Amino acid sequence: MSGRVLVGVKRVIDYAVKIRVKPDNTGVVTDGVKHSMNPFCEIAVEEAVKLKEKKLVKEVVAVSCGPQQSQETIRTALAMGADRGIHVEVSGNDYETLGPLQVSKIMAALAKKEDAQIIILGKQAIDDDCNQTGQMTAALLDWPQGTFASEVTLDGDKIKVVREIDGGLETIKINTPAVLTADLRLNTPRYATLPNIMKAKKKKIANVKPADLGVNLTSKLEVLRVEDPPQRQAGMKVETVEDLVGKLKELGKV
Amino acid sequence: MFPASRYTCKAHRCIRALVTLQKDPSAPQLYSSIHRRTCSSASTTRITTHYTIHPRDKDARWEGMEMERFADEADVVIVGGGPAGLSAAIRLKQLANEQEKELRVCLVEKAPQLGAHTLSGACLEPRALIELFPDWKERGAPLHTPVTEDVFSIFTEKHRIPVPILPGLPMQNHGNYIVRLGNLVRWLGEQAEELGVEIYPGYAAAEVLFHEDGSVKGIATNDVGIAKDGSPKDTFERGMELHAKVTVFGEGCHGHLAKQLYKQFNLRENCEPQTYAIGLKELWMIDEKKWKPGRTEHSVGWPLDRHTYGGSFLYHLNEGEPLVALGFVVGLDYSNPYLSPFREFQRWKHHPFIAATLEGGQRIAYGARALNEGGFQCIPKLTFPGGLLIGCSPGFMNVPKIKGTHTAMKSGILAAEAIFPKVTAENLDSETAGLHIPEYSNNLENSSVWKELHAVRNIRPSFHNYFGLYGGMVYTGIFYWILRGKEPWTLKHRGLDANQLKPAKDCKPIEYPKPDGKISFDLLSSVALSGTNHEGDQPPHLTLKDDRIPVEKNLAIYDGPEQRFCPAGVYEYVPVETGDGMRLQINAQNCVHCKTCDIKDPSQNINWVVPEGGGGPAYNGM
């Protein structure tokens, strides 16, 4: 067993920033906008580092797919405790169309190349809310998956995962190697403090191109148009049930 | 008797006390303590929990916590990644590379990325930039909009009186560039990193460190993982210490560490207290037909009365899209506590001359920051053992020009040139462990910055006359335009801005129009556009020296001016949950780090300290 954990981290627009649609409606404005690590990816990194601190795994490798700036996100993961990073360079049009299918192909290829035992990802990214990469990666590798994890316990060569599902909590036991996706209550991520950022500068980040991994990035999806959601209309207050029914009839709803 | 769970906490205590009394009638102590608790008018929850007000060495919750800090050494540490700090860093590394000397320069900045806390008009005089990088154009500095047109008006409610900008008047902008300062700062940061400066955004300098001999040793960054009530969380970690031979403080207008240094080294004993203004700014994407790239517009007059200093700016940028930067400045020496700079800004936009430009446009950004108005009379002593002050922190803004960036950058360059020989000297004889660099002050006094500020020193104070604004303009016309500021006298300012407020009973509330949602907007949607956010579970960084003063003094005498001058809605007076009376609610997460509250609080009770690094606004090219 390699004892190696791959953690995927995504650089997204910071959650507190107000999103603006580009005037040509092809996407959202990202130039100069504050970005940070996807909150669920932070939780994934924290979980991987915790496993290493408990000596249950030997090495944590942080992976990010994107342009030059993704290196900052990997740097933050390194400051949180990851041992080394892999930056998969994707920029320009390829980056605009990069989606869960492409990223999962990359993660699967890296998992084989790095002989990873566990892959931990965030359950979803806050910019596209896809919630697909973890599941697709597991399918491509034919590995078991423990998604929406709120508790992870390593037990020999198996993993016990408590999952947050609609009905409550579900506990499953899966074999390794496996893919896990982190949900909100899995842990509270630690801060990347300045001494650790300074140390992280000495940790290695390898540069890899998707072609080197044999991954084709072409997407079968084409974004036609991006628009603001419709403005919320003002509501109406009514005094009695009769008024309500009357108003509904007026609007042709009843 | 009664099911205890049905009662509130207070009632619980009373019942328990009464039960004890029934059993033991000779327990007067218990009764009096209950009496005191139920009679207190202040709520039992503290507003201020920050350790600068409630020290942790006396706090039981901090017993046994590991308080050791990791320390590192650099040659020079710079606090603040704005134009001044970055210019100093760049110049230091340029000198080091030229002379092939090793020099470790570390820069800490509280914003999550360079430029995120930068806000300015801005009309840049490029001379300091040219000095730093004669090849700035080839390097791609974001100066894309030379000024082509200069328009100055006096506004009345419905009309405008044009004022000719004759060459020689401070407002003349020929040769200057309209810039988005945040983008320039970001570019300066890239240049600095290429030269080898270590830049650490997202880490705030929270504490000044001192050697045993009293000289400055360096700074410590903020601790993280402290809960809102001041107790340590699981994620608690101490900040880090950065030691340096010289620490350069470039925190911008009204820096919080500078405030401490003024007291520590008595730097302000021979200058007047600094006076300030608040500047509020928005970025608008306007109708292309109205776009006039390179045009700068300034106005004075409506909606301010002639005794309230202030005015507006509107700049048409030329960066490929019809973007205008506009804003409003209000002098913080205003006397009416009912004045709301934010609402003055919003109603000014409805002036026909301005509304015409904005109609059909879309607002895309908002922010606010305090700026210096004191000029020459308010420059403090700039150097002390172990450190020095640069930029808008001591304050080199040319007020009538409303330009401070070029002087800030020049001060950074001069600081670097004074520091470099001393910090790389082989055998320097220094009295103190932290180096004292008085050469910086001397160089500054012999530079263009000094001459410039001296020439315009009397313009701002000339507003304090019966005719207010008009008196000031007449003075400027005679003494600056004709005589170039050579008059032998130096007028004084009025004193601390915080002392200028009149009691609310002596003033009339101002009727502001409701925002229309197209040109003018409400406060909260504006704050949302600044992208500001802070970790919620941390002690509020707007600390009160005394929690009782806001209600007892600010609200009682001045009707709570902080709820009006804060451009981010941090301060709210809300009714207490039970009983009568109001309490101050501090929405620290909204703070945009403008520093106005620390400046204008009439009780000087608010002490702004730095929150966890990375928090604050997320300005983009402001």
Side-chain angles (χ1 to χ4, degrees):
Chain A
M1 269 298 152
S2 72
R4 192 170 289 125
V5 178
L6 274 190
V7 182
V9 295
K10 186 177 182 186
R11 178 178 180 262
V12 297
I13 295 183
D14 187 85
Y15 72 91
V17 169
K18 220 152 208 263
I19 306 289
R20 194 162 62 93
V21 175
K22 280 198 222 166
D24 59 7
N25 292 100
T26 55
V28 299
V29 178
T30 53
D31 206 29
V33 174
K34 177 181 173 190
H35 284 66
S36 36
M37 191 191 290
N38 182 36
F40 295 107
C41 297
E42 284 181 356
I43 298 174
V45 174
E46 176 65 23
E47 196 59 26
V49 174
K50 276 200 163 74
L51 288 176
K52 193 179 86 156
E53 286 173 344
K54 289 192 206 140
K55 300 219 196 314
L56 295 168
V57 297
K58 291 206 201 77
E59 196 188 22
V60 176
V61 183
V63 180
S64 192
C65 307
Q68 185 67 11
Q69 296 98 319
S70 296
Q71 296 210 2
E72 287 161 23
T73 316
I74 301 177
R75 207 56 84 182
T76 309
L78 293 173
M80 284 171 75
D83 298 293
R84 59 184 169 90
I86 300 177
H87 171 214
V88 182
E89 267 186 67
V90 182
S91 50
N93 203 39
D94 282 338
Y95 184 57
E96 306 279 316
T97 57
L98 191 71
L101 184 59
Q102 290 75 23
V103 175
S104 52
K105 286 181 185 167
I106 293 172
M107 290 303 292
L110 278 172
K112 292 203 189 99
K113 181 161 178 259
E114 298 285 333
D115 187 25
Q117 187 188 351
I118 307 175
I119 300 180
I120 313 185
L121 305 171
K123 72 169 178 179
Q124 67 198 61
I126 60 167
D127 51 6
D128 54 19
D129 279 332
C130 283
N131 193 337
Q132 297 167 4
T133 309
Q135 292 86 336
M136 285 178 171
T137 310
L140 287 170
L141 289 165
D142 198 27
W143 286 6
Q145 52 182 268
T147 53
F148 307 101
S150 68
E151 206 185 298
V152 168
T153 327
L154 261 58
D155 187 9
D157 60 349
K158 297 207 198 298
I159 310 180
K160 185 180 94 166
V161 182
V162 177
R163 307 175 61 225
E164 293 199 14
I165 60 172
D166 290 345
L169 297 172
E170 181 193 48
T171 309
I172 58 172
K173 208 171 212 168
I174 55 179
N175 293 325
T176 50
V179 175
L180 306 171
T181 70
D183 205 325
L184 194 61
R185 278 157 279 268
L186 181 57
N187 59 50
T188 310
R190 68 195 62 190
Y191 289 87
T193 53
L194 186 55
N196 289 330
I197 287 272
M198 288 178 166
K199 284 186 205 144
K201 290 211 162 161
K202 302 197 183 83
K203 295 185 184 172
K204 279 180 81 56
I205 299 182
N207 252 23
V208 177
K209 294 207 174 47
D212 299 341
L213 298 168
V215 172
N216 185 344
L217 288 180
T218 38
S219 171
K220 299 215 177 90
L221 299 173
E222 186 194 331
V223 173
L224 297 175
R225 197 179 159 79
V226 177
E227 277 177 5
D228 279 299
Q231 283 272 34
R232 191 155 176 237
Q233 298 297 323
M236 274 185 280
K237 263 184 158 168
V238 291
E239 298 293 307
T240 66
V241 175
E242 285 77 25
D243 281 348
L244 177 61
V245 176
K247 274 257 154 28
L248 288 172
K249 284 205 177 129
E250 248 177 59
L251 294 167
K253 306 279 184 192
V254 179
Chain B
M1 296 175 273
F2 311 104
S5 58
R6 271 220 247 125
Y7 294 89
T8 64
C9 200
K10 257 194 215 155
H12 257 269
R13 277 186 236 126
C14 288
I15 293 174
R16 244 182 277 139
L18 285 169
V19 166
T20 326
L21 275 174
Q22 283 177 331
K23 292 197 190 126
D24 182 8
S26 63
Q29 231 179 350
L30 186 61
Y31 177 70
S32 56
S33 80
I34 296 290
H35 180 80
R36 226 181 304 143
R37 249 184 271 161
T38 50
C39 281
S40 78
S41 51
S43 87
T44 44
T45 27
R46 279 178 180 167
I47 303 178
T48 302
T49 52
H50 201 271
Y51 64 82
T52 48
I53 306 286
H54 299 288
R56 289 174 290 194
D57 51 4
K58 301 192 182 65
D59 192 330
R61 301 170 298 183
W62 287 88
E63 255 186 70
M65 288 299 293
E66 179 56 64
M67 296 302 264
E68 272 276 333
R69 278 190 288 224
F70 186 80
D72 203 358
E73 294 262 344
D75 292 298
V76 182
V77 163
I78 300 177
V79 176
L86 288 167
S87 299
I90 289 170
R91 194 77 194 103
L92 278 169
K93 275 311 232 178
Q94 282 176 339
L95 288 166
N97 294 344
E98 267 170 43
Q99 301 187 25
E100 294 181 344
K101 291 222 168 106
E102 292 273 330
L103 195 70
R104 185 175 183 205
V105 179
C106 289
L107 188 150
V108 287
E109 162 59 47
K110 63 174 162 61
Q113 60 192 48
L114 290 183
H117 289 188
T118 302
L119 186 139
S120 182
C123 224
L124 181 74
E125 263 189 43
R127 43 193 175 140
L129 180 65
I130 295 171
E131 216 184 298
L132 212 51
F133 292 114
D135 57 345
W136 60 263
K137 208 166 195 166
E138 288 77 41
R139 283 174 181 260
L143 272 66
H144 304 296
T145 314
V147 176
T148 55
E149 228 190 314
D150 239 324
V151 174
F152 197 91
S153 328
I154 302 178
F155 277 1
T156 62
E157 194 172 343
K158 291 273 181 330
H159 303 285
R160 86 174 252 267
I161 307 166
V163 174
I165 301 287
L166 306 161
L169 274 176
M171 306 79 184
Q172 212 229 351
N173 274 310
H174 184 71
N176 297 336
Y177 290 83
I178 304 173
V179 294
R180 294 174 70 174
L181 195 59
N183 290 345
L184 181 60
V185 165
R186 203 165 28 142
W187 177 85
L188 284 171
E190 288 163 14
Q191 307 309 305
E193 281 196 312
E194 262 177 48
L195 286 165
V197 178
E198 290 176 51
I199 301 188
Y200 298 110
Y203 296 98
E207 210 184 300
V208 184
L209 304 167
F210 297 95
H211 287 288
E212 292 223 344
D213 62 11
S215 60
V216 170
K217 186 173 171 186
I219 53 102
T221 58
N222 57 283
D223 295 344
V224 291
I226 305 179
K228 198 163 186 174
D229 64 5
S231 61
K233 295 195 279 197
D234 288 328
T235 45
F236 171 72
E237 273 197 63
R238 274 293 252 167
M240 172 177 166
E241 294 190 7
L242 277 172
H243 300 168
K245 298 181 190 143
V246 182
T247 310
V248 179
F249 292 88
E251 296 171 287
C253 176
H254 203 79
H256 79 111
L257 293 181
K259 198 177 170 184
Q260 288 175 34
L261 291 166
Y262 292 146
K263 279 208 208 86
Q264 180 81 15
F265 292 104
N266 218 355
L267 301 171
R268 297 203 76 96
E269 59 185 341
N270 291 325
C271 68
E272 287 188 47
Q274 184 65 262
T275 75
Y276 302 86
I278 178 177
L280 302 106
K281 178 181 171 180
E282 287 176 356
L283 284 177
W284 280 68
M285 202 67 94
I286 56 169
D287 187 340
E288 254 192 78
K289 300 189 220 72
K290 313 202 174 162
W291 184 37
K292 304 190 179 107
R295 180 178 159 102
T296 66
E297 295 174 23
H298 293 102
S299 82
V300 291
W302 188 84
L304 298 176
D305 65 40
R306 67 176 194 267
H307 289 296
T308 305
Y309 183 84
S312 75
F313 65 89
L314 195 151
Y315 302 145
H316 292 249
L317 285 153
N318 190 4
E319 301 190 354
E321 35 179 21
L323 197 63
V324 296
L326 64 147
F328 203 73
V329 173
V330 179
L332 285 178
D333 58 347
Y334 67 82
S335 53
N336 186 346
Y338 291 109
L339 194 142
S340 161
F342 173 78
R343 301 195 80 172
E344 297 291 348
F345 175 36
Q346 297 302 319
R347 75 166 161 172
W348 162 80
K349 285 188 280 173
H350 283 287
H351 187 278
F353 194 60
I354 304 295
T357 307
L358 298 181
E359 233 128 51
Q362 199 205 4
R363 180 176 78 152
I364 63 168
Y366 164 83
R369 183 77 171 88
L371 48 140
N372 303 300
E373 296 259 310
F376 191 76
Q377 295 88 322
C378 302
I379 300 177
K381 185 157 181 293
L382 298 167
T383 65
F384 42 89
L388 44 87
L389 302 162
I390 58 172
C392 278
S393 181
F396 301 116
M397 206 182 91
N398 182 325
V399 178
K401 276 192 197 174
I402 38 167
K403 292 182 177 55
T405 311
H406 63 298
T407 48
M409 289 174 74
K410 181 70 178 168
S411 72
I413 295 171
L414 290 172
E417 291 172 348
I419 293 173
F420 184 75
K422 283 191 130 161
V423 103
T424 50
E426 292 289 321
N427 297 312
L428 188 68
D429 213 353
S430 174
E431 281 179 5
T432 51
L435 300 178
H436 191 194
I437 321 269
E439 292 82 353
Y440 161 59
S441 291
N442 299 339
N443 293 354
L444 202 64
E445 284 170 30
N446 292 326
S447 73
S448 55
V449 174
W450 216 253
K451 289 190 198 63
E452 195 183 324
L453 293 180
H454 183 85
V456 299
R457 73 197 182 286
N458 284 327
I459 296 185
R460 177 70 174 90
S462 69
F463 277 72
H464 305 318
N465 63 75
Y466 179 72
F467 296 103
L469 167 72
Y470 305 107
M473 292 179 82
V474 169
Y475 186 95
T476 306
I478 302 172
F479 288 99
Y480 182 76
W481 191 52
I482 302 175
L483 295 177
R484 287 339 216 147
K486 293 203 172 69
E487 65 270 33
W489 56 83
T490 299
L491 298 175
K492 280 183 128 91
H493 294 292
R494 275 199 283 201
L496 264 188
D497 288 332
N499 296 340
Q500 306 305 321
L501 278 182
K502 296 209 189 86
K505 60 177 170 59
D506 297 336
C507 300
K508 240 182 46 171
I510 304 178
E511 281 285 326
Y512 288 107
K514 266 188 89 158
D516 73 345
K518 293 203 200 61
I519 297 201
S520 53
F521 300 89
D522 65 300
L523 186 60
L524 291 181
S525 63
S526 309
V527 177
L529 267 188
S530 70
T532 192
N533 195 29
H534 296 84
E535 160 62 52
D537 194 14
Q538 66 173 305
H541 62 282
L542 302 117
T543 65
L544 305 171
K545 293 187 206 146
D546 184 338
D547 274 1
R548 294 166 302 182
I549 298 237
V551 174
E552 283 175 20
K553 195 170 165 213
N554 286 25
L555 187 60
I557 304 177
Y558 303 100
D559 197 44
E562 56 267 61
Q563 42 186 348
R564 294 190 193 90
F565 60 57
C566 174
V570 169
Y571 300 98
E572 267 186 288
Y573 282 97
V574 294
V576 290
E577 278 80 18
T578 48
D580 279 326
M582 307 286 266
R583 64 175 180 85
L584 178 66
Q585 174 165 287
I586 297 184
N587 305 313
Q589 282 178 283
N590 288 9
C591 181
V592 291
H593 298 204
C594 75
K595 315 293 174 63
T596 303
C597 55
D598 194 309
I599 296 165
K600 189 59 174 170
D601 176 15
S603 323
Q604 287 292 277
N605 188 35
I606 300 175
N607 194 39
W608 191 97
V609 298
V610 78
E612 270 178 24
Y619 297 142
N620 181 10
M622 283 289 260

